[in-house]
Amino acid sequence: MAGLIRFGISLESDLSKKFDDRLKRKGYSNRSEAIRDLIRQDLVDQQWQDGDEIAGAVTFTYDHHKRELLNKIIDIQHDFHSVIISSQHVHLDHNNCLEIIAVKGKPDEILKLSNLLKALKGVKHGTLGMSTTGKTL
Ligand code: NI
């Protein structure tokens, strides 16, 4: 592996035990991969804070029967077309729809889009998956 370095970490034994228990539950086979993921997560958090170009997904569930809600959801997505890569609509059951919107762009625009959608009356739950374009990781 190019540029691979090794370093030791000192930490309290009970913290180490908690970490190892957590790794087992998450399915990691060793500490190195778990620590690499923690570092990557911190770097992605930093990208969001720094206003770098990021990628992610806005996911929300809403009441299919609120007709005016559908129009509002579509209007908002048109307003944010420049950061929306694609969207997928899933009919969960007779009453509920799930929408997944893949996004790429500046964090403030993505957060605005996510907050507007989540705040709509009739949206039952929404999340913003904050990921990365992967270019600098
Ligand atoms: Ni639907």
Side-chain angles (χ1 to χ4, degrees), residues 19-31 33-34 37:
F19 188 59
D20 286 345
D21 289 347
R22 187 123 177 84
L23 302 193
K24 240 177 262 164
R25 272 190 287 164
K26 288 180 139 187
Y28 285 104
S29 55
N30 62 65
R31 288 176 180 155
E33 190 51 32
D37 274 355

Side-chain angles (χ1 to χ4, degrees), residues 60-66 69-70 73 89 92 95-99 122-125:
F60 56 102
T61 301
Y62 63 94
D63 184 342
H64 160 75
H65 295 294
K66 287 199 186 296
L69 175 59
L70 270 171
I73 288 169
H89 181 103
L92 287 175
N95 303 314
N96 297 293
C97 299
L98 173 75
E99 195 136 332
V123 171
K124 296 179 176 182
H125 181 254

